[in-house]
Structure formats: structure tokens, C-alpha cells
């Protein structure tokens, strides 16, 4: 009997020690403990050493660090009826552990599902060109909508980034042809703009040369220098356009003087 009593005391001592040690919990700097007292929310404790009464209080640990969540590829139909596959990455953190534990069953799964549906909804309101070129605007819209939706869960969405947009091969070829046509259009516009500017400069140069006839003669001599070469035996001498008009007038005047008199003058 004495031995049994000793064994019982030893067993009770071990149980007391185990209960005493289980009362103490250590939470890291980035962790918080949501304490429930008899099933009801009591308070938030941590970080450091905290006391939890066994069988009366329960603790749920919550990580406050930023969570990096990959949003799986989603089939999105754009506003111009083009099917693309888009994936993204989501950055968020728990700001209110009480809401994250009480208001939603699994805040990680809920945030992931909400991000997928929101991305399909937002990207479906834009055309393909906007999805490819205006990613900053789309990222800001996704972040704002997700942040508003998860505020009731005590979660702060800091960043949403679209990583990759997969297109069909036929659509890639169509986009390449569109880009080529756009480059050709820009080249024609640049060429036409250059011709317009050159014509304006030539008109201004003609006005300045017309004010001083000596300048035109100097321009003729410069032209001869540019077109001449060392081994060439042909000399090209430009003539002014006015010389042709003067010769034509002289020829017409000579033809009038050589015409015979009309029959009325003879009589």
C-alpha cells in the first residue's frame, strides 16, 4: 500500500509539472496569440512569454509577416473577346489577428480564392492592348479592390503584380502584323514631316537668294565646284531659269516683226 501511495504521489507530481509547464508559451516577435476563454474571445497576447490556463483557455497563433501568395493562371476573356491566361503574385499581411481568426474560417484560402475571382473580373473589363501595356493601372485596381474586400478579415493587401500573360500563337502573329503596320505608318509620317520641313527651308532660302542676285551667282559657282571632279573633261554650267524666258520672248518678238503685212494694210 505504501508503494502504491508513493507511485500515486509521483504520478500526481508529474501531472502537476506537465500542467505547469504547459501554461507557459513563447511567441516570437512576428507572432501573436488569440486567446479564447471557455470558447469566447478573451484577448490578444504576445510577443514573448505568455500564460495560458490549461483546459480553460485556448490559443491560436497568427503570423504577422508578409505572405507571398502565387495566384494560379486564370483563363480571362478580355473586353474585345480574346482569351488569355494570366497569373499574378499577391503580397499581404495580417493587421488584426482577431478579425483574421474570428471573421473567416481560413484567411489564406479565402484570400487566394478572392484574388482569383477578382483578377478574372477586373481583366475582363479591359481590352487586350490594355492588359499588355497598362499593367501598372491594372495592378493598382486589383490591389485597391482586394484591399477593400479583405479589410473585414483584418488583412492588408500591399501589392498585386501581374507576372505573365499567355497568348495563342495566332494572336501573337496578329499582334506582330499590327506592330509592323504601326511602324510602317510612323515611318511614312516621319518621311512626310521631313519633306514638309525641307520645303519650308527651301522656300525661305529662295526668298533670301532672290533679294540679292549676287548670292545666286555665288550659288551657281558652288554648284559647279560640287559637281566637278579631277578626271572629268565635261563641264556642266547651269543656266538661270530667267534666261530661257528672255530667249523665248525675244524669239516671239522676232517672229512678229518678220510677218508679212495683212491684206487690209495693202489695200
Amino acid at each position: 500500500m505504501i508503494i502504491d501511495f508513493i507511485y500515486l504521489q509521483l504520478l500526481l507530481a508529474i501531472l502537476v509539472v506537465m500542467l505547469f509547464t504547459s501554461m507557459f508559451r513563447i511567441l516570437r516577435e512576428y507572432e501573436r496569440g488569440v486567446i479564447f476563454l471557455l470558447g469566447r474571445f478573451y484577448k490578444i497576447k504576445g510577443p514573448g512569454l505568455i500564460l495560458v490556463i490549461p483546459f480553460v483557455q485556448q490559443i491560436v497563433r497568427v503570423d504577422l509577416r508578409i505572405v507571398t501568395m502565387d495566384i494560379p493562371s486564370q483563363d480571362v476573356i478580355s473586353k474585345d473577346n480574346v482569351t488569355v491566361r494570366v497569373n499574378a503574385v499577391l503580397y499581404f499581411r495580417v493587421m488584426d489577428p482577431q478579425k483574421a481568426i474570428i471573421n473567416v474560417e481560413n484567411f489564406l484560402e479565402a484570400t487566394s480564392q478572392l484574388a482569383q475571382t477578382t483578377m478574372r473580373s477586373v481583366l475582363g473589363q479591359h481590352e487586350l492592348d490594355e492588359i499588355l501595356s497598362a499593367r501598372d493601372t491594372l495592378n493598382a485596381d486589383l490591389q485597391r479592390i482586394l484591399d477593400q474586400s479583405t479589410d473585414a478579415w483584418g488583412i492588408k493587401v500591399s501589392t498585386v503584380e501581374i507576372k505573365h500573360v499567355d497568348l495563342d500563337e495566332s494572336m501573337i502573329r496578329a499582334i506582330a502584323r499590327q506592330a509592323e503596320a504601326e511602324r510602317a505608318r510612323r515611318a511614312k509620317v516621319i518621311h512626310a514631316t521631313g519633306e514638309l520641313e525641307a520645303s519650308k527651308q527651301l522656300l525661305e532660302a529662295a526668298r533670301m537668294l532672290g533679294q540679292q542676285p549676287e548670292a545666286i551667282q555665288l550659288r551657281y559657282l558652288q554648284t559647279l565646284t560640287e559637281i566637278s571632279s579631277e578626271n572629268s573633261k565635261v563641264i556642266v554650267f547651269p543656266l538661270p531659269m530667267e534666261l530661257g524666258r528672255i530667249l523665248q520672248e525675244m524669239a516671239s518678238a522676232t517672229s512678229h516683226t518678220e510677218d508679212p503685212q495683212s491684206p487690209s494694210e495693202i489695200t
Side-chain angles (χ1 to χ4, degrees):
M1 292 295 295
I2 296 176
I3 297 177
D4 294 339
F5 181 73
I6 293 175
Y7 284 159
L8 181 59
Q9 286 184 341
L10 182 61
L11 182 60
L12 291 176
I14 294 174
L15 291 176
V16 170
V17 172
M18 292 178 61
L19 290 174
F20 183 78
T21 55
S22 64
M23 293 173 58
F24 297 97
R25 306 290 179 87
I26 297 177
L27 298 179
R28 297 180 179 90
E29 182 66 30
Y30 55 83
E31 291 181 328
R32 297 295 183 270
V34 181
I35 306 299
F36 292 91
L37 179 62
L38 298 177
R40 298 179 63 87
F41 173 75
Y42 176 58
K43 64 186 304 183
I44 297 175
K45 293 184 178 181
L49 181 65
I50 64 174
L51 179 64
V52 180
I53 302 174
F55 306 111
V56 178
Q57 294 180 341
Q58 295 83 32
I59 180 173
V60 179
R61 295 173 181 261
V62 180
D63 196 328
L64 301 184
R65 292 177 294 181
I66 294 178
V67 179
T68 303
M69 178 178 292
D70 183 70
I71 303 177
S73 298
Q74 302 295 312
D75 291 327
V76 178
I77 300 178
S78 62
K79 190 176 181 180
D80 50 352
N81 296 324
V82 178
T83 302
V84 295
R85 292 183 62 86
V86 184
N87 63 344
V89 60
L90 173 67
Y91 298 91
F92 68 94
R93 61 177 299 184
V94 176
M95 302 298 295
D96 191 338
Q98 177 184 354
K99 293 182 179 180
I101 297 300
I102 296 176
N103 292 358
V104 62
E105 179 181 2
N106 188 337
F107 64 88
L108 292 175
E109 181 65 22
T111 304
S112 176
Q113 295 297 324
L114 180 63
Q116 296 178 34
T117 56
T118 302
M119 186 172 66
R120 288 196 299 266
S121 176
V122 172
L123 297 184
Q125 300 175 5
H126 297 271
E127 296 183 354
L128 179 61
D129 292 340
E130 297 176 352
I131 296 176
L132 296 176
S133 60
R135 291 195 180 185
D136 293 338
T137 303
L138 296 177
N139 292 335
D141 293 341
L142 289 171
Q143 187 272 334
R144 175 179 53 81
I145 295 174
L146 289 174
D147 189 35
Q148 292 176 355
S149 301
T150 57
D151 184 65
W153 303 341
I155 294 175
K156 172 65 177 178
V157 178
S158 58
T159 307
V160 180
E161 292 290 340
I162 297 175
K163 294 195 300 183
H164 190 65
V165 179
D166 291 327
L167 297 174
D168 188 72
E169 291 295 334
S170 60
M171 184 55 61
I172 294 176
R173 291 193 295 268
I175 293 175
R177 290 194 299 268
Q178 179 183 1
E180 184 178 358
E182 178 65 20
R183 289 193 295 268
R185 184 188 67 84
R186 292 180 181 178
K188 292 180 180 179
V189 171
I190 293 173
H191 179 72
T193 304
E195 292 291 337
L196 178 61
E197 293 179 357
S199 63
K200 292 180 180 179
Q201 296 295 329
L202 289 174
L203 178 60
E204 184 66 22
R207 291 176 180 175
M208 295 181 64
L209 292 174
Q211 295 176 1
Q212 295 292 335
E214 295 82 0
I216 299 178
Q217 185 65 26
L218 293 176
R219 182 58 181 167
Y220 288 159
L221 295 177
Q222 183 181 0
T223 303
L224 287 176
T225 304
E226 293 175 353
I227 65 177
S228 63
S229 59
E230 296 180 357
N231 299 326
S232 177
K233 298 181 180 180
V234 179
I235 299 178
V236 180
F237 190 81
L239 296 177
M241 298 297 294
E242 289 78 4
L243 181 60
R245 180 175 55 84
I246 295 174
L247 294 176
Q248 183 178 5
E249 293 179 354
M250 293 176 60
S252 59
T254 304
S255 62
H256 285 300
T257 56
E258 293 179 356
D259 287 342
Q261 295 181 352
S262 60
S264 60
E265 293 178 354
I266 296 176
T267 57

